[in-house]
């Protein structure tokens, strides 16, 4: 069982203006949790993409719905949980597409899966969607 | 339209140089998309997008650029990128779009490549 260290909760509206707030909060926290610069950049972009997907797909671009963000710091990893009460997303459509197919859409999922060490879609969650991104600390950084 | 990016356009005959400053994300990318699609017409043979002052770009920004590129390719135009910051370069590499877009170290090199291709 992981030893819980710290937890921060944040609720933002489903308005893309707030993505910047999410990013700066995550960056500050990851620094506080002693993650290195590359990991901070990676997890921040992954969370930005996951949140953008909630705005666009779960809430169909409505800008007045809540997105609940919980960031948890553990000795060897960081988790970012994103919860919404929008349309349940189809798990079959949550897979990253082939990059050889050059087209505008679908890059966000690829980035999420590439940048986070683990992505958990809670298929049991009944009132919307719950996704957890996990970023493990590189050895040597404590 | 959200005017959150600072976008400067310089035209020189068939060449358009677009200098962008700011963070390109889901909120701001529609502004960049509109500029690119408005410019992507027969009169713009070459479009150089100078990203020197873009400090952040997510997948919605990439999507806008891909759309602009594809629009230009339809009539034989070219969209070139230059002066990418490390974060932006990294996003291009992660999405393998660094193999799709011509990317130059700086504006001068991008312009020189056009002169060379016209010779």
């Amino acid at each position: 069982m992981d030893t819980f260290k710290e937890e921060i909760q944040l609720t933002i509206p489903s308005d893309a203006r707030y993505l910047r707030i999410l990013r700066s909060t995550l960056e500050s926290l990851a620094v506080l949790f002693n993650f290195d610069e590359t990991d901070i950049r990676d997890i921040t972009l992954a969370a930005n993409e996951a949140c953008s997907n909630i705005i666009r797909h779960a809430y169909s671009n409505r800008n007045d719905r809540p997105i609940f963000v919980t960031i948890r710091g553990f000795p060897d990893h960081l988790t970012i949980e994103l919860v919404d009460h929008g349309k349940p997303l189809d798990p079959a459509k949550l897979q990253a597409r082939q990059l050889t197919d050059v087209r505008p859409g679908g890059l966000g999922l690829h980035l999420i899966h590439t940048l986070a060490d683990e992505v958990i879609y809670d298929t049991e969650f009944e009132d919307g969607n719950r996704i957890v991104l996990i970023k493990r600390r590189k050895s040597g950084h404590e | 339209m959200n005017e959150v990016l600072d976008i400067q356009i310089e035209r020189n005959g068939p060449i358009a140089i677009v200098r962008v400053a700011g963070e390109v994300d889901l909120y701001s990318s529609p502004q960049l998309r509109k500029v690119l699609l408005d410019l992507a017409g027969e009169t713009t043979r070459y479009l150089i997008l100078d990203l020197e002052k873009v400090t952040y770009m997510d997948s919605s920004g990439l999507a806008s650029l891909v759309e602009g590129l594809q629009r230009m390719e339809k009539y034989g135009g070219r969209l070139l990128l230059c002066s990418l910051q490390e974060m932006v370069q990294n996003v291009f590499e992660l999405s393998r779009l660094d193999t799709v877009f011509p990317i130059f170290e700086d504006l001068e090199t991008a312009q020189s490549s056009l002169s060379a291709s016209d010779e």
Side-chain angles (χ1 to χ4, degrees), chain B residues 73-93:
Chain B
E73 283 179 339
K74 279 184 185 165
Y75 62 87
R78 289 182 64 201
L79 172 58
L80 294 75
L81 311 179
C82 70
S83 312
L84 277 61
Q85 292 199 18
E86 189 187 346
M87 184 276 159
V88 178
Q89 176 76 36
N90 188 50
V91 177
F92 272 84
E93 288 170 6

Side-chain angles (χ1 to χ4, degrees), chain A residues 17 23 48-49 102 104 110, chain B residues 23 25 27 58-59 70 94:
Chain A
R17 285 184 303 168
R23 293 197 298 268
N48 175 91
E49 295 295 342
V102 179
H110 169 76
Chain B
E23 298 187 8
D25 63 7
Y27 181 57
D58 71 7
S59 66
Q70 292 180 334
L94 286 168

Side-chain angles (χ1 to χ4, degrees), chain A residues 93-117:
Chain A
K93 292 181 179 172
L94 295 173
Q95 303 304 313
R97 68 169 171 82
Q98 291 293 316
L99 294 181
T100 46
D101 176 19
V102 179
R103 57 184 166 86
L107 291 169
L109 283 171
H110 169 76
L111 292 175
I112 293 169
H113 285 271
T114 303
L115 297 170
D117 289 317

